[in-house]
Amino acid sequence: MAVDRRLPLALLRGAAPVALGLLLWVAMAGGEQERQQTLKAQPRADAASLTQRRRHNELIMTALREAAETDDNVAQRRVPWRK
């Protein structure tokens, strides 16, 4: 008899965190479209700014890649970097 009452209680205790996580996920996912609209409406979302940002990121990645490939102390190099 005691086993019969413990099983539903154990299932309830296990399902409660799952249900809470699902509710939180639904609450966060509901605001995703609004967040996307807000990001699109920002003043620096034009094509020229995005191109400039991509170029800047490419330069940073190139510098990081070069720093990873060399044993020199790249922090002490003068700009522009040369091998």
Side-chain angles (χ1 to χ4, degrees):
M1 282 276 177
V3 174
D4 294 338
R5 283 191 352 203
R6 288 190 303 191
L7 182 62
L9 186 59
L11 288 174
L12 182 64
R13 286 183 179 164
V18 173
L20 179 62
L22 182 62
L23 286 173
L24 289 173
W25 181 76
V26 167
M28 295 301 293
E32 181 66 19
Q33 289 178 349
E34 182 180 330
R35 188 180 73 83
Q36 291 292 332
Q37 293 297 326
T38 304
L39 288 174
K40 287 180 183 177
Q42 286 185 346
R44 295 210 168 210
D46 58 17
S49 294
L50 292 176
T51 303
Q52 182 180 5
R53 199 173 320 147
R54 282 189 190 106
R55 177 69 179 138
H56 179 75
N57 288 342
E58 287 174 10
L59 291 173
I60 290 174
M61 289 306 295
T62 302
L64 288 173
R65 196 172 297 115
E66 183 179 343
E69 291 172 354
T70 184
D71 291 332
D72 296 339
N73 185 354
V74 295
Q76 302 297 323
R77 286 189 184 173
R78 294 193 180 274
V79 176
W81 288 9
R82 292 194 182 115
K83 287 188 176 183

